[in-house]
Amino acid sequence: MHTLFHFRIRTVILLIAVLILFLGLFQLGNFVSTPSSQPIPSDLIVTLGGDSGARVMKALDLYKLGYAPKILITGIDGGEPQIRPAYLTWQALFFAQQGVKKNVLLFDTESANTWQEALNTKKLMEQQGLHHVIVVSDPPHMRRLSWVWGRVFADSGMQFRLVPSNMSGWRADEWWLNEKSAQFVLAEIVKFMYYLVRY
């Protein structure tokens, strides 16, 4: 009787653990896309590398609404260093076609990953005496960006604000039902773990 009671207790605990794990999996979309913020008036807008278009469109909207007078475009994630300036060309061309003047745009051709983007943005802000930056990326990157930029900007006196793009196909609440969302979530979990260990 005593053994049966312990077996039942262990079974209940196991079922609760499985339920928590199961519910946790459903919340991964919300986990990776939190935290994000509404924009506030700033000195600079950064559109991060690896963009397929949603980020530059969001940065353009923010610029036209007057949230910052400058836009920093960062390069492609990874890749050969000599390719990065060329990658920035299509973004610069897009901004120009939308009426953004050339002297508004700044370029980061050095960064090859998220950590370098944060570090190089911080250096630029120090050089130019800037204090507030809006960081634009896709929703599933927000958790990792919050950790990385928080580490880089700690004790700097400068502030960053994460603003998500309007990425098509992103469904945080039902990420497992959409191939694109599922790929983003699973990739972000791996990347987040890597950054936690690496930096």
Side-chain angles (χ1 to χ4, degrees), residues 100-116:
V100 178
K101 294 181 180 179
K102 185 182 291 187
N103 63 356
V104 167
L105 301 177
L106 303 170
F107 300 90
D108 172 9
T109 61
E110 302 298 321
S111 297
N113 61 41
T114 303
W115 184 269
Q116 291 173 8

PDB file of all heavy atoms in Angstrom, residues 100-116:
ATOM      1  N   VAL A 100      14.709  59.560 -48.186  1.00  0.00           N
ATOM      2  CA  VAL A 100      15.655  59.776 -47.087  1.00  0.00           C
ATOM      3  C   VAL A 100      16.965  60.312 -47.668  1.00  0.00           C
ATOM      4  O   VAL A 100      17.543  59.704 -48.567  1.00  0.00           O
ATOM      5  CB  VAL A 100      15.914  58.463 -46.315  1.00  0.00           C
ATOM      6  CG1 VAL A 100      16.943  58.695 -45.204  1.00  0.00           C
ATOM      7  CG2 VAL A 100      14.611  57.925 -45.735  1.00  0.00           C
ATOM      8  N   LYS A 101      17.433  61.428 -47.150  1.00  0.00           N
ATOM      9  CA  LYS A 101      18.653  62.039 -47.672  1.00  0.00           C
ATOM     10  C   LYS A 101      19.892  61.248 -47.267  1.00  0.00           C
ATOM     11  O   LYS A 101      19.929  60.598 -46.221  1.00  0.00           O
ATOM     12  CB  LYS A 101      18.759  63.484 -47.174  1.00  0.00           C
ATOM     13  CG  LYS A 101      17.662  64.379 -47.724  1.00  0.00           C
ATOM     14  CD  LYS A 101      17.814  65.800 -47.224  1.00  0.00           C
ATOM     15  CE  LYS A 101      16.708  66.692 -47.793  1.00  0.00           C
ATOM     16  NZ  LYS A 101      16.804  68.086 -47.315  1.00  0.00           N
ATOM     17  N   LYS A 102      20.906  61.325 -48.122  1.00  0.00           N
ATOM     18  CA  LYS A 102      22.129  60.552 -47.924  1.00  0.00           C
ATOM     19  C   LYS A 102      22.795  60.864 -46.591  1.00  0.00           C
ATOM     20  O   LYS A 102      23.348  59.967 -45.932  1.00  0.00           O
ATOM     21  CB  LYS A 102      23.099  60.825 -49.071  1.00  0.00           C
ATOM     22  CG  LYS A 102      24.356  59.974 -49.029  1.00  0.00           C
ATOM     23  CD  LYS A 102      25.322  60.318 -50.159  1.00  0.00           C
ATOM     24  CE  LYS A 102      24.764  59.906 -51.506  1.00  0.00           C
ATOM     25  NZ  LYS A 102      25.773  60.082 -52.596  1.00  0.00           N
ATOM     26  N   ASN A 103      22.746  62.125 -46.149  1.00  0.00           N
ATOM     27  CA  ASN A 103      23.442  62.489 -44.908  1.00  0.00           C
ATOM     28  C   ASN A 103      22.747  61.977 -43.646  1.00  0.00           C
ATOM     29  O   ASN A 103      23.267  62.117 -42.553  1.00  0.00           O
ATOM     30  CB  ASN A 103      23.632  64.004 -44.822  1.00  0.00           C
ATOM     31  CG  ASN A 103      22.316  64.769 -44.758  1.00  0.00           C
ATOM     32  OD1 ASN A 103      21.238  64.181 -44.849  1.00  0.00           O
ATOM     33  ND2 ASN A 103      22.409  66.080 -44.603  1.00  0.00           N
ATOM     34  N   VAL A 104      21.581  61.373 -43.815  1.00  0.00           N
ATOM     35  CA  VAL A 104      20.860  60.769 -42.687  1.00  0.00           C
ATOM     36  C   VAL A 104      21.408  59.376 -42.380  1.00  0.00           C
ATOM     37  O   VAL A 104      21.372  58.915 -41.241  1.00  0.00           O
ATOM     38  CB  VAL A 104      19.345  60.684 -43.002  1.00  0.00           C
ATOM     39  CG1 VAL A 104      18.603  59.797 -42.008  1.00  0.00           C
ATOM     40  CG2 VAL A 104      18.737  62.082 -43.034  1.00  0.00           C
ATOM     41  N   LEU A 105      21.963  58.716 -43.408  1.00  0.00           N
ATOM     42  CA  LEU A 105      22.348  57.315 -43.291  1.00  0.00           C
ATOM     43  C   LEU A 105      23.775  57.138 -42.797  1.00  0.00           C
ATOM     44  O   LEU A 105      24.701  57.816 -43.248  1.00  0.00           O
ATOM     45  CB  LEU A 105      22.200  56.620 -44.644  1.00  0.00           C
ATOM     46  CG  LEU A 105      20.798  56.629 -45.257  1.00  0.00           C
ATOM     47  CD1 LEU A 105      20.815  55.966 -46.624  1.00  0.00           C
ATOM     48  CD2 LEU A 105      19.792  55.943 -44.334  1.00  0.00           C
ATOM     49  N   LEU A 106      23.940  56.208 -41.874  1.00  0.00           N
ATOM     50  CA  LEU A 106      25.238  55.780 -41.381  1.00  0.00           C
ATOM     51  C   LEU A 106      25.375  54.289 -41.675  1.00  0.00           C
ATOM     52  O   LEU A 106      24.370  53.568 -41.763  1.00  0.00           O
ATOM     53  CB  LEU A 106      25.356  56.037 -39.875  1.00  0.00           C
ATOM     54  CG  LEU A 106      25.134  57.484 -39.418  1.00  0.00           C
ATOM     55  CD1 LEU A 106      25.034  57.548 -37.903  1.00  0.00           C
ATOM     56  CD2 LEU A 106      26.244  58.391 -39.932  1.00  0.00           C
ATOM     57  N   PHE A 107      26.616  53.802 -41.802  1.00  0.00           N
ATOM     58  CA  PHE A 107      26.824  52.421 -42.215  1.00  0.00           C
ATOM     59  C   PHE A 107      27.795  51.709 -41.285  1.00  0.00           C
ATOM     60  O   PHE A 107      28.833  52.251 -40.915  1.00  0.00           O
ATOM     61  CB  PHE A 107      27.364  52.376 -43.649  1.00  0.00           C
ATOM     62  CG  PHE A 107      26.453  53.008 -44.658  1.00  0.00           C
ATOM     63  CD1 PHE A 107      26.570  54.357 -44.971  1.00  0.00           C
ATOM     64  CD2 PHE A 107      25.465  52.265 -45.278  1.00  0.00           C
ATOM     65  CE1 PHE A 107      25.728  54.953 -45.896  1.00  0.00           C
ATOM     66  CE2 PHE A 107      24.618  52.848 -46.199  1.00  0.00           C
ATOM     67  CZ  PHE A 107      24.750  54.191 -46.513  1.00  0.00           C
ATOM     68  N   ASP A 108      27.447  50.491 -40.929  1.00  0.00           N
ATOM     69  CA  ASP A 108      28.324  49.616 -40.156  1.00  0.00           C
ATOM     70  C   ASP A 108      28.701  48.443 -41.058  1.00  0.00           C
ATOM     71  O   ASP A 108      27.908  47.525 -41.263  1.00  0.00           O
ATOM     72  CB  ASP A 108      27.611  49.120 -38.893  1.00  0.00           C
ATOM     73  CG  ASP A 108      28.392  48.052 -38.147  1.00  0.00           C
ATOM     74  OD1 ASP A 108      29.569  47.804 -38.497  1.00  0.00           O
ATOM     75  OD2 ASP A 108      27.826  47.451 -37.223  1.00  0.00           O
ATOM     76  N   THR A 109      29.906  48.490 -41.604  1.00  0.00           N
ATOM     77  CA  THR A 109      30.370  47.428 -42.496  1.00  0.00           C
ATOM     78  C   THR A 109      31.240  46.405 -41.770  1.00  0.00           C
ATOM     79  O   THR A 109      31.735  45.466 -42.383  1.00  0.00           O
ATOM     80  CB  THR A 109      31.179  48.022 -43.668  1.00  0.00           C
ATOM     81  OG1 THR A 109      32.320  48.715 -43.142  1.00  0.00           O
ATOM     82  CG2 THR A 109      30.329  48.978 -44.485  1.00  0.00           C
ATOM     83  N   GLU A 110      31.435  46.598 -40.466  1.00  0.00           N
ATOM     84  CA  GLU A 110      32.341  45.742 -39.705  1.00  0.00           C
ATOM     85  C   GLU A 110      31.644  44.573 -39.021  1.00  0.00           C
ATOM     86  O   GLU A 110      32.222  43.498 -38.871  1.00  0.00           O
ATOM     87  CB  GLU A 110      33.071  46.581 -38.652  1.00  0.00           C
ATOM     88  CG  GLU A 110      33.874  47.744 -39.222  1.00  0.00           C
ATOM     89  CD  GLU A 110      34.988  47.282 -40.142  1.00  0.00           C
ATOM     90  OE1 GLU A 110      35.619  46.255 -39.827  1.00  0.00           O
ATOM     91  OE2 GLU A 110      35.203  47.940 -41.168  1.00  0.00           O
ATOM     92  N   SER A 111      30.402  44.781 -38.596  1.00  0.00           N
ATOM     93  CA  SER A 111      29.727  43.775 -37.765  1.00  0.00           C
ATOM     94  C   SER A 111      29.331  42.536 -38.556  1.00  0.00           C
ATOM     95  O   SER A 111      28.809  42.636 -39.670  1.00  0.00           O
ATOM     96  CB  SER A 111      28.480  44.377 -37.113  1.00  0.00           C
ATOM     97  OG  SER A 111      28.838  45.433 -36.252  1.00  0.00           O
ATOM     98  N   ALA A 112      29.561  41.381 -37.940  1.00  0.00           N
ATOM     99  CA  ALA A 112      29.179  40.108 -38.561  1.00  0.00           C
ATOM    100  C   ALA A 112      28.223  39.317 -37.687  1.00  0.00           C
ATOM    101  O   ALA A 112      27.786  38.234 -38.064  1.00  0.00           O
ATOM    102  CB  ALA A 112      30.432  39.266 -38.848  1.00  0.00           C
ATOM    103  N   ASN A 113      27.899  39.833 -36.493  1.00  0.00           N
ATOM    104  CA  ASN A 113      26.935  39.153 -35.628  1.00  0.00           C
ATOM    105  C   ASN A 113      26.299  40.171 -34.673  1.00  0.00           C
ATOM    106  O   ASN A 113      26.649  41.347 -34.672  1.00  0.00           O
ATOM    107  CB  ASN A 113      27.594  37.992 -34.849  1.00  0.00           C
ATOM    108  CG  ASN A 113      28.719  38.458 -33.947  1.00  0.00           C
ATOM    109  OD1 ASN A 113      28.643  39.490 -33.284  1.00  0.00           O
ATOM    110  ND2 ASN A 113      29.806  37.694 -33.911  1.00  0.00           N
ATOM    111  N   THR A 114      25.374  39.695 -33.881  1.00  0.00           N
ATOM    112  CA  THR A 114      24.598  40.561 -32.999  1.00  0.00           C
ATOM    113  C   THR A 114      25.456  41.267 -31.962  1.00  0.00           C
ATOM    114  O   THR A 114      25.255  42.457 -31.675  1.00  0.00           O
ATOM    115  CB  THR A 114      23.500  39.744 -32.292  1.00  0.00           C
ATOM    116  OG1 THR A 114      22.677  39.128 -33.286  1.00  0.00           O
ATOM    117  CG2 THR A 114      22.638  40.614 -31.396  1.00  0.00           C
ATOM    118  N   TRP A 115      26.412  40.547 -31.396  1.00  0.00           N
ATOM    119  CA  TRP A 115      27.278  41.152 -30.383  1.00  0.00           C
ATOM    120  C   TRP A 115      28.077  42.304 -30.978  1.00  0.00           C
ATOM    121  O   TRP A 115      28.179  43.385 -30.383  1.00  0.00           O
ATOM    122  CB  TRP A 115      28.223  40.091 -29.800  1.00  0.00           C
ATOM    123  CG  TRP A 115      29.076  40.625 -28.685  1.00  0.00           C
ATOM    124  CD1 TRP A 115      30.313  41.193 -28.791  1.00  0.00           C
ATOM    125  CD2 TRP A 115      28.733  40.670 -27.298  1.00  0.00           C
ATOM    126  NE1 TRP A 115      30.780  41.579 -27.557  1.00  0.00           N
ATOM    127  CE2 TRP A 115      29.827  41.260 -26.623  1.00  0.00           C
ATOM    128  CE3 TRP A 115      27.634  40.252 -26.565  1.00  0.00           C
ATOM    129  CZ2 TRP A 115      29.837  41.454 -25.246  1.00  0.00           C
ATOM    130  CZ3 TRP A 115      27.637  40.439 -25.186  1.00  0.00           C
ATOM    131  CH2 TRP A 115      28.730  41.033 -24.540  1.00  0.00           C
ATOM    132  N   GLN A 116      28.638  42.100 -32.161  1.00  0.00           N
ATOM    133  CA  GLN A 116      29.417  43.145 -32.809  1.00  0.00           C
ATOM    134  C   GLN A 116      28.546  44.340 -33.188  1.00  0.00           C
ATOM    135  O   GLN A 116      28.997  45.491 -33.108  1.00  0.00           O
ATOM    136  CB  GLN A 116      30.114  42.577 -34.040  1.00  0.00           C
ATOM    137  CG  GLN A 116      31.212  41.583 -33.709  1.00  0.00           C
ATOM    138  CD  GLN A 116      31.786  40.906 -34.937  1.00  0.00           C
ATOM    139  OE1 GLN A 116      31.473  41.270 -36.069  1.00  0.00           O
ATOM    140  NE2 GLN A 116      32.634  39.906 -34.715  1.00  0.00           N
TER     141      GLN A 116
END
